[in-house]
Amino acid sequence: SAFFLFQNMLSCKKRCDKMYPALELDLLEALDLSIRQPVLYFQLRIQPCICINKLSQAVSQCIDFMPQWACRYDESSHAWLPLTSYTIIDEVDDFDFSSWDITKHPQLQIQIQHAQGYDDLRIGCSHVLCDGNGAMQLLYLLCHFYNKDSITVQNERNLSSLSFIKTKKPIHKKPK
């Protein structure tokens, strides 16, 4: 099988060159990574076959937009840390994500299985980094970049837009 390895050190450093701290909701999914790997999967059938070069460019643009996809998750610092080299796209005979570990590998993995007249894709993404809606947004973003659509996007990860998250209010002391 052919691997698409993004080993260009300058490119990797440009993309994921710092630590990206996890947010409060990210930590819920990262509670015990020794027991389970919190990941979400999509399976897609593409007809006709997918263009690997276009997919590779689309993934690269997604990483430029959100560098955490190319980082590993570090439990001790609760942050995404840069990788010097990584593989995201892999052409396989059988889908197998058993060796994927989000503490050692990128937060995004794509496996492609070729067949006569179509390709099956299985996309895995870290549930620590995104929820189901975030995974769908990633899929939309990949499609836009793959199709070279002109879009304006903004990377914003914050809790202020989640109205159900309440900040702690100060405890009022009894007057003396």
Side-chain angles (χ1 to χ4, degrees):
S1 73
F3 293 136
F4 290 85
L5 186 61
F6 300 112
Q7 282 188 307
N8 182 337
M9 297 290 253
L10 294 174
S11 179
C12 283
K13 290 289 186 195
K14 176 185 148 233
R15 290 190 181 135
C16 188
D17 60 352
K18 63 180 184 176
M19 179 169 77
Y20 296 90
L23 300 175
E24 290 86 354
L25 290 178
D26 300 331
L27 300 177
L28 291 174
E29 290 298 331
L31 283 176
D32 197 351
L33 295 175
S34 64
I35 294 175
R36 66 179 179 84
Q37 289 287 304
V39 293
L40 302 168
Y41 296 101
F42 292 96
Q43 186 161 333
L44 310 167
R45 178 159 287 174
I46 308 294
Q47 293 176 305
C49 300
I50 195 158
C51 174
I52 301 293
N53 288 336
K54 283 176 65 174
L55 178 62
S56 182
Q57 289 171 356
V59 167
S60 182
Q61 288 176 288
C62 284
I63 292 168
D64 287 343
F65 171 68
M66 191 168 164
Q68 293 94 325
W69 290 118
C71 295
R72 67 178 187 83
Y73 183 75
D74 182 66
E75 285 182 274
S76 62
S77 62
H78 300 295
W80 287 274
L81 302 178
L83 292 164
T84 55
S85 66
Y86 50 88
T87 301
I88 290 181
I89 301 172
D90 189 6
E91 295 176 273
V92 298
D93 293 327
D94 296 306
F95 293 123
D96 182 8
F97 286 85
S98 62
S99 64
W100 181 29
D101 182 344
I102 63 170
T103 64
K104 298 175 184 165
H105 303 111
Q107 305 303 290
L108 176 64
Q109 295 288 301
I110 300 173
Q111 294 183 0
I112 303 168
Q113 207 175 34
H114 299 289
Q116 184 95 5
Y118 65 89
D119 288 331
D120 284 331
L121 272 70
R122 189 165 292 169
I123 301 171
C125 51
S126 166
H127 200 318
V128 177
L129 185 57
C130 70
D131 60 6
N133 284 334
M136 287 302 296
Q137 290 172 355
L138 169 67
L139 186 58
Y140 292 140
L141 197 59
L142 272 171
C143 290
H144 281 292
F145 288 141
Y146 183 87
N147 293 322
K148 298 190 185 311
D149 291 343
S150 175
I151 58 170
T152 302
V153 291
Q154 179 180 348
N155 182 3
E156 183 175 334
R157 299 186 80 233
N158 68 50
L159 299 178
S160 63
S161 63
L162 302 175
S163 59
F164 61 89
I165 301 291
K166 305 290 184 204
T167 57
K168 289 185 179 179
K169 295 181 181 176
I171 297 173
H172 297 286
K173 294 183 181 180
K174 290 182 184 177
K176 292 185 179 182

